[in-house]
Amino acid sequence: GGVEPSIDVTLWSMNGVYPFSWAPGSQKVIILMTDEIAQTIDGNNVSDVNNYALDQGFEIFVFALPEHHNSFLAMVRGQQGRLYTPTVNSETVFLQIRQIFEDLCIGN
């Protein structure tokens, strides 16, 4: 319980706070899954995350409850198609994630 700093975690995944190694030329995709609204402990906001993602070439997708989608909308470029709703059916979530990657890899 408590604050789930999804805004900060997404930004930290991109800016090096977390020691991920993004290889030069790699396709950088972040899929955030949460059952909370967009939250921060560092004062960042979803627009900060979106701006950093655009500047650094990241693709962001969010799985959240429908009632929380608006809190993440600016993080995903204002594109409703980047917001998903998790279900209790793991096969549906798998197919949604698969579709994200097919759209990124095949669609572009």
Side-chain angles (χ1 to χ4, degrees):
V3 175
E4 293 181 9
S6 54
I7 296 170
D8 305 320
V9 169
T10 305
L11 187 60
W12 298 337
S13 297
M14 295 184 291
N15 71 9
V17 170
Y18 289 142
F20 293 131
S21 177
W22 300 97
S26 65
Q27 192 168 10
K28 299 176 277 191
V29 178
I30 294 175
I31 298 175
L32 171 68
M33 294 184 168
T34 183
D35 62 353
E36 297 282 334
I37 62 169
Q39 298 175 55
T40 182
I41 58 172
D42 262 2
N44 298 304
N45 63 54
V46 289
S47 293
D48 295 334
V49 173
N50 178 55
N51 290 335
Y52 192 91
L54 286 170
D55 186 52
Q56 298 298 315
F58 283 87
E59 302 285 349
I60 300 174
F61 299 86
V62 176
F63 281 77
L65 300 172
E67 59 267 26
H68 300 156
H69 281 191
N70 282 340
S71 71
F72 290 100
L73 192 56
M75 183 186 288
V76 296
R77 304 177 185 171
Q79 298 175 4
Q80 288 283 346
R82 290 174 176 258
L83 295 169
Y84 292 84
T85 301
T87 65
V88 294
N89 180 332
S90 61
E91 181 178 349
T92 300
V93 173
F94 171 79
L95 292 173
Q96 290 171 319
I97 292 171
R98 180 176 158 191
Q99 187 63 52
I100 289 170
F101 283 99
E102 285 179 358
D103 289 348
L104 288 171
C105 297
I106 299 169
N108 289 335

